[in-house]
Amino acid sequence: MKNIFIPAAFIGLFIFTSCEKLLFDADKSSNDPRTNFEYLWNEADKKYSYFTLKGIDWDEVKVRYSDSITDGMDEQALFRVLGNMLNELRDDHTNLVSPFDVSVYNVALKKEPNYYERTIREHYLPQVMHTGAFTHNFIEGDSIAYLRYSSFMNAVTKEDLDFILSRYKNTEGLILDLRENGGGNVFNIPLIMERFTSERTLVAYSKTRSGPGHDEFSAPESFYYNAHDGIRYDKPVMVLTDRGSYSATTFFSLTTKAMNNVTLVGDTTGGGGGLPNGGQLPNGWNYRFSITQLLDLQGNNYAESGVPPDILVSFNWSDLSRDEILDRAIEELRQ
Amino acid sequence: MKIVINWTVLILLFAPFAQAQKEQKNEKKADGYSEPESYLLLSSGGGYYQYRDLATSPLFYSGPGLDLSLAWHREKSKGEKTFLLATSFGVPNAQMASNTGFAVKSSAMFSHSTLSYSHLRNISRWNKGKWKFWAGGNLTSSFNLRMNKSLGNNAVGIEAFVNLMASFKVGYDLSHERSGTRKFLFIFDREISPKKQFAHFKLNAGLLNWNYRPGYAYKEMPELDGTKTNPFQFAFAGYDWSRNGYRLGTELSFTKFNESGNAVQWAYLWDVIHAPGRFEPFQMAMHRIKFTLFFNRK
């Protein structure tokens, strides 16, 4: 009897362990071009959030790009087809990432830029202070504060904001320059905005794709700012934006519409109101695309194509000694 | 309604254990059977892990990992119970089809933690000679934390599993009661001394299986309450419990006791989980070799 225990146990283990392959679905890894094409198209079809709003016929896109998929195509050719297919979504939150390239829609390049850093440094602020993620100084004597925040990827700290807002507490107004700020961490938005409100404020809604139908979404979720319990700034604030103001900056800009003391000056933002998720194809390449929609307090759904400014002003590239958008913000604060 | 059914099944499954404990206390007073043995178990080991989260990738991630565990184990002639706290971690790689082009490399950090309670009753009427049999239940709660930077906003993934499992265990007594000689490799004579040692095989099969998985879109955006947003709520918005899937596990072990009543154990464990969730399944398998020290807590 003793002699059969170990063999019997090992046979039992072998049977159960072998079941593993039967218990799981088949291995789905594949370098087959059509398999990867179908997988990516299906994932976007199931979860992308802006088909209807942008009037995209995704089935027609599939038919058109499917003709470009051939069995023997190399990976660079496949990347171009898949990347171009994703660019049909007209969304910079949509990328295909391979080891050799990243597909980008480049929404900022579709329109004129409205920011030239050297103009500000040479003609407005030869000296600036660098505090954390911000560059800043007085502008127009000591009456107005200028803050430049170039990316929401850069961390915002309480100490930085306490120092900056204390320094400018006696100014008549503050200019926050978010032009060409391509976005980043959404949690940096309330850190700044809660300095500009004295009460809890509902500022936006967001809803998430929740089913296979292109218009199936969850109930809208609310986005609030709370009044910061500490140093705040209650004077008028001018926020400068342009087409390079994307993603978290679009989110930030949309919420200014709900705040009486904050005015948007410059050009329409680049968009990117949807929060992107991430995934992987059967060949190991990565992708991402938007799965949510951002709405203003009236339920308007314009954030994906950009938040329009309250005061539309363009940079005049024929005279680099002046920044017309900054000039207009200063003028507004002087009134 | 689903909750009521789940709780009813739970209560019905655990009621016999509660009753058994009550009976054991009474029996102890009545017949005074042998004192129970209580052990503190410290384990370490390694293994091979494999998982696939179809909500973010069709690829299996697999690779080696390390295990640590701590347990409290109590044995009586009529049964045994074990509380276990275990954690495993590793850095698995995506398993991709062979590629003649630009190779893709994708790896993740993976940890798996488990808290479980097992209660087995000896089936005395099945015992024969050196064979012993046990049957009972096992309540296991496990939690996965995965990090994969290449998945962008889905870089952090979690799963939780709660499984009420039926357990069956068979043991064979390999003890030597007397000194003597025995052939080693059919040639050499080997001196053997009295030893207390056992081999066991255990099977766990999930009866009720719950899993905590993402919603339709992996990264749902919940209410943002400014700087007071609950990061846990934000990270796991849309997640929900489902009762579906299965969990299976086996354990083959060899335990050798010394004169002081302490013991060492070598074991091979296999554990497989399939968690369909509400939309896209998660699957994982673990193969582990474990070395355990038993400290008798008399």
Side-chain angles (χ1 to χ4, degrees):
Chain A
M1 283 294 274
K2 174 182 173 179
N3 293 334
I4 68 164
F5 181 87
I6 300 295
F10 272 108
I11 289 167
L13 266 182
F14 177 75
I15 291 168
F16 281 111
T17 307
S18 301
C19 284
E20 194 173 298
K21 292 199 188 311
L22 299 173
L23 294 171
F24 290 165
D25 298 333
D27 181 11
K28 296 178 190 291
S29 66
S30 172
N31 289 314
D32 174 58
R34 190 158 297 281
T35 301
N36 283 281
F37 172 80
E38 293 280 347
Y39 187 93
L40 181 60
W41 185 90
N42 276 316
E43 283 296 304
D45 186 56
K46 284 193 296 184
K47 295 171 185 171
Y48 183 66
S49 55
Y50 284 114
F51 286 123
T52 303
L53 194 72
K54 293 181 175 179
I56 296 167
D57 184 345
W58 195 232
D59 292 319
E60 182 276 327
V61 169
K62 182 180 185 181
V63 171
R64 188 151 36 93
Y65 282 87
S66 182
D67 291 343
S68 306
I69 301 292
T70 58
D71 290 341
M73 69 194 303
D74 66 31
E75 58 188 8
Q76 289 188 52
L78 176 64
F79 181 86
R80 279 193 297 276
V81 174
L82 299 186
N84 288 340
M85 182 175 77
L86 286 183
N87 282 341
E88 296 280 348
L89 300 174
R90 307 192 300 276
D91 187 335
D92 259 348
H93 274 157
T94 298
N95 306 98
L96 180 65
V97 182
S98 76
F100 53 84
D101 202 2
V102 178
S103 75
V104 183
Y105 177 63
N106 275 325
V107 69
L109 300 182
K110 312 297 179 198
K111 303 275 182 174
E112 282 285 305
N114 279 287
Y115 176 71
Y116 186 55
E117 184 180 5
R118 181 157 177 164
T119 298
I120 295 173
R121 298 298 298 273
E122 195 173 334
H123 300 286
Y124 292 82
L125 292 166
Q127 300 296 323
V128 290
M129 291 185 73
H130 301 272
T131 306
F134 298 91
T135 52
H136 58 97
N137 211 339
F138 291 101
I139 199 167
E140 293 293 302
D142 287 345
S143 61
I144 294 171
Y146 173 88
L147 270 75
R148 167 80 182 149
Y149 183 45
S150 60
S151 173
F152 276 93
M153 296 295 284
N154 301 327
V156 175
T157 70
K158 176 182 178 297
E159 291 74 18
D160 295 341
L161 286 174
D162 282 351
F163 174 82
I164 291 167
L165 297 180
S166 297
R167 186 165 192 256
Y168 303 117
K169 64 183 177 188
N170 294 323
T171 54
E172 296 167 16
L174 184 149
I175 295 169
L176 177 60
D177 195 343
L178 300 181
R179 288 176 290 177
E180 300 300 309
N181 182 327
N185 186 348
V186 73
F187 288 106
N188 285 326
I189 298 171
L191 287 170
I192 299 171
M193 283 303 232
E194 288 185 7
R195 301 297 183 123
F196 301 144
T197 184
S198 57
E199 60 186 7
R200 180 175 164 81
T201 309
L202 174 64
V203 291
Y205 299 106
S206 175
K207 57 182 184 179
T208 305
R209 184 83 185 264
S210 63
H214 288 183
D215 292 317
E216 285 186 62
F217 286 90
S218 62
E221 299 279 359
S222 306
F223 188 4
Y224 289 93
Y225 292 145
N226 298 295
H228 179 69
D229 186 19
I231 298 167
R232 295 198 298 264
Y233 189 86
D234 56 6
K235 313 275 179 53
V237 176
M238 298 285 146
V239 174
L240 313 188
T241 56
D242 69 354
R243 286 281 174 181
S245 306
Y246 196 76
S247 187
T249 315
T250 283
F251 208 123
F252 185 101
S253 301
L254 181 96
T255 66
T256 65
K257 304 291 184 185
M259 299 179 71
N260 294 328
N261 58 332
V262 183
T263 305
L264 220 52
V265 183
D267 196 4
T268 302
T269 68
L275 185 76
N277 78 341
Q280 196 164 36
L281 295 181
N283 67 358
W285 295 351
N286 289 97
Y287 62 83
R288 67 170 193 160
F289 48 71
S290 303
I291 57 164
T292 69
Q293 290 187 350
L294 179 64
L295 313 171
D296 72 7
L297 291 185
Q298 288 71 45
N300 297 315
N301 203 337
Y302 52 77
E304 177 60 9
S305 54
V307 178
D310 301 312
I311 301 169
L312 179 64
V313 191
S314 297
F315 191 92
N316 179 4
W317 289 92
S318 62
D319 178 10
L320 296 181
S321 68
R322 301 308 304 170
D323 182 333
E324 287 74 15
I325 296 173
L326 180 56
D327 285 343
R328 181 60 186 272
I330 292 168
E331 186 185 324
E332 290 291 323
L333 289 173
R334 280 180 164 170
Q335 285 176 5
Chain B
M1 187 62 188
K2 200 171 163 185
I3 292 171
V4 174
I5 294 169
N6 290 341
W7 276 108
T8 307
V9 174
L10 268 175
I11 291 164
L12 288 174
L13 276 164
F14 271 85
F17 295 130
Q19 184 59 29
Q21 275 194 318
K22 205 172 168 184
E23 285 171 6
Q24 279 179 348
K25 280 175 190 167
N26 294 338
E27 283 172 23
K28 191 174 178 181
K29 282 174 192 168
D31 61 16
Y33 64 77
S34 61
E35 280 297 307
E37 300 284 348
S38 175
Y39 299 95
L40 178 70
L41 278 56
L42 293 177
S43 307
S44 66
Y48 178 79
Y49 304 85
Q50 184 176 42
Y51 73 80
R52 176 168 63 177
D53 174 17
L54 285 161
T56 51
S57 173
L59 303 177
F60 278 112
Y61 280 74
S62 61
L66 294 172
D67 299 302
L68 290 170
S69 64
L70 175 69
W72 174 82
H73 177 76
R74 186 176 166 93
E75 280 183 10
K76 291 181 185 178
S77 60
K78 297 224 168 183
E80 62 183 47
K81 46 192 168 186
T82 308
F83 282 105
L84 171 77
L85 178 64
T87 187
S88 310
F89 46 90
V91 185
N93 295 305
Q95 302 303 301
M96 280 174 261
S98 61
N99 180 9
T100 54
F102 204 136
V104 182
K105 288 179 181 156
S106 181
S107 62
M109 290 174 68
F110 171 76
S111 77
H112 174 81
S113 301
T114 291
L115 181 67
S116 80
Y117 170 66
S118 164
H119 194 138
L120 297 173
R121 292 276 287 168
N122 182 239
I123 312 172
S124 53
R125 65 175 175 274
W126 287 14
N127 296 344
K128 190 175 180 186
K130 295 191 171 190
W131 291 91
K132 275 183 100 172
F133 296 86
W134 294 262
N138 181 345
L139 183 62
T140 298
S141 171
S142 299
F143 177 78
N144 285 348
L145 176 64
R146 299 177 284 114
M147 295 180 80
N148 183 347
K149 275 199 324 190
S150 64
L151 295 175
N153 277 341
N154 300 125
V156 178
I158 67 151
E159 292 83 35
F161 317 97
V162 176
N163 307 89
L164 183 63
M165 306 168 90
S167 298
F168 177 76
K169 182 175 164 181
V170 55
Y172 187 79
D173 188 347
L174 293 162
S175 303
H176 310 142
E177 290 174 5
R178 287 187 291 273
S179 301
T181 58
R182 182 168 292 177
K183 287 284 185 198
F184 178 65
L185 295 176
F186 307 104
I187 302 170
F188 307 107
D189 284 332
R190 185 165 62 101
E191 291 289 331
I192 58 167
S193 53
K195 277 178 193 164
K196 188 180 167 193
Q197 51 192 20
F198 302 92
H200 293 108
F201 177 76
K202 186 177 178 185
L203 168 69
N204 292 318
L207 298 174
L208 286 173
N209 305 285
W210 291 269
N211 56 76
Y212 190 60
R213 292 282 293 143
Y216 183 80
Y218 202 105
K219 198 69 186 175
E220 190 160 332
M221 200 163 181
E223 178 175 293
L224 281 162
D225 192 6
T227 50
K228 293 177 182 166
T229 299
N230 181 335
F232 191 82
Q233 184 203 0
F234 187 83
F236 307 122
Y239 276 66
D240 206 354
W241 287 99
S242 305
R243 182 165 61 79
N244 53 25
Y246 55 79
R247 184 168 190 167
L248 279 174
T250 58
E251 180 179 338
L252 175 64
S253 63
F254 174 75
T255 313
K256 187 173 175 180
F257 288 84
N258 62 21
E259 289 172 359
S260 65
N262 296 326
V264 294
Q265 183 187 72
W266 292 268
Y268 168 74
L269 297 91
W270 173 69
D271 195 9
V272 61
I273 299 171
H274 173 66
R278 286 180 297 161
F279 300 104
E280 288 160 311
F282 177 87
Q283 300 169 325
M284 71 177 289
M286 295 177 285
H287 299 265
R288 287 174 284 177
I289 301 286
K290 195 165 84 167
F291 174 72
T292 304
L293 296 173
F294 283 56
F295 296 100
N296 197 320
R297 299 178 64 247
K298 273 182 186 170

